[in-house]
């Protein structure tokens, strides 16, 4: 999955990472498997390892990941468990993101609009 990182926040001693699956234009949240649930990603694990070192991933970065959809339990149907980070495309520009959002169905907007403010 090609994943655009839109949010990285602290949760239960790790990271809650959410973004957009650029292959399907669906919002997803990625975490680590923990029993039948998806737990927070350990802070040190949201990195892309290169031959020259590591890149700490952040908001607006686009990465290629292998992720497995969690079993639908009726809520949080957007959860995926991260298996591996396979590639790093770097950060997207505001112009690139604006182009993507022009292609989204309007009901995908959280507040049903595309304004820069709520």
């Amino acid at each position: 999955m090609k994943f655009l990182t839109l949010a990285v926040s602290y949760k239960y001693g790790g990271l809650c990472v959410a973004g957009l699956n650029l292959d399907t234009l669906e919002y997803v949240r990625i975490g680590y498997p923990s029993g039948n649930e998806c737990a927070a990603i350990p802070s040190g694990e949201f990195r892309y390892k290169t031959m020259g070192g590591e890149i700490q991933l952040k908001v607006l970065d686009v990465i290629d990941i292998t992720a497995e959809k969690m079993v639908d339990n009726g809520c949080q149907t957007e959860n995926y468990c991260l298996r591996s980070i396979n590639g790093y495309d770097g950060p997207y520009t505001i112009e690139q993101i604006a182009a993507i959002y022009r292609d989204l169905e309007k009901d995908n907007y959280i507040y049903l609009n595309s304004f820069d403010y709520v």
Side-chain angles (χ1 to χ4, degrees), residues 29-108:
R29 180 175 33 236
I30 58 174
Y32 264 26
S34 176
N36 291 333
E37 297 187 8
C38 214
I41 297 174
S43 298
E45 296 296 319
F46 198 56
R47 297 177 181 272
Y48 178 65
K49 296 175 176 90
T50 68
M51 291 185 62
E54 291 183 337
I55 299 168
Q56 176 65 48
L57 298 170
K58 58 193 177 311
V59 172
L60 302 185
D61 280 344
V62 176
I63 54 179
D64 176 40
I65 63 173
T66 300
E68 179 181 317
K69 182 136 177 59
M70 292 294 296
V71 175
D72 187 355
N73 64 359
C75 65
Q76 295 185 330
T77 58
E78 71 279 7
N79 284 352
Y80 283 75
C81 281
L82 179 64
R83 298 297 182 193
S84 63
I85 300 172
N86 310 314
Y88 174 72
D89 290 347
Y92 265 25
T93 65
I94 296 301
E95 291 80 17
Q96 288 171 300
I97 293 169
I100 291 167
Y101 271 79
R102 281 192 292 274
D103 293 336
L104 289 179
E105 294 179 29
K106 297 302 179 199
D107 62 356
N108 280 334

Side-chain angles (χ1 to χ4, degrees), residues 18-34:
L20 193 63
N21 177 341
L22 294 177
D23 300 328
T24 64
L25 296 181
E26 294 176 323
Y27 291 106
V28 298
R29 180 175 33 236
I30 58 174
Y32 264 26
S34 176

Side-chain angles (χ1 to χ4, degrees), residues 5-6 11 28 39-40 59 107 113:
T5 308
L6 294 176
K11 178 181 181 181
V28 298
V59 172
D107 62 356
N113 69 53

